[in-house]
Amino acid sequence: MKFTKRSFHFSIISIILMVVFLILSTVQRTKDNTAMNDVTAFLITFFMITVLTGFVFALLSIRDGHSTKKAFAFIVNVVLFLFLGFYVLQNLVAI
């Protein structure tokens, strides 16, 4: 049950970070506003780390008992991991 709980927490944190990042991405940024750019870059990095960690815990929680928390966390973490992987591949192809 401990992996399910951790996976659930990381999925909630990832969702919150994604929403905060989306809100910050709508704010008008200029090159003079370096503090906002730094915060946004930190949030992107933290989001990637939480998605990867949540995905690992979701895979480890497969052996735990069945619950709604487990299903929610597994689906959210896998979908976010696939989106992140697609985003990274898209950037690699663009290079």
Side-chain angles (χ1 to χ4, degrees), residues 25-44:
S25 67
T26 61
V27 174
Q28 187 70 16
R29 292 182 290 171
T30 61
K31 44 183 187 174
D32 297 333
N33 193 359
T34 58
M36 184 65 75
N37 294 338
D38 292 342
V39 168
T40 306
F42 175 73
L43 285 176
I44 292 171

Side-chain angles (χ1 to χ4, degrees), residues 2 4-5 7 10 15-20 29 41-42 46-47 51-52 57 59 66-67 75 83 85 91 94:
K2 68 179 184 176
T4 300
K5 185 177 178 182
S7 175
F10 275 108
I15 291 171
I16 291 170
L17 283 173
M18 185 173 57
V19 168
V20 169
R29 292 182 290 171
F42 175 73
F46 192 54
F47 174 72
V51 167
L52 291 174
F57 282 128
L59 291 179
H66 298 290
S67 67
I75 291 170
F83 283 148
N91 284 334

Side-chain angles (χ1 to χ4, degrees), residues 88-95:
V88 169
L89 286 177
Q90 222 177 9
N91 284 334
L92 288 175
V93 170
I95 294 176

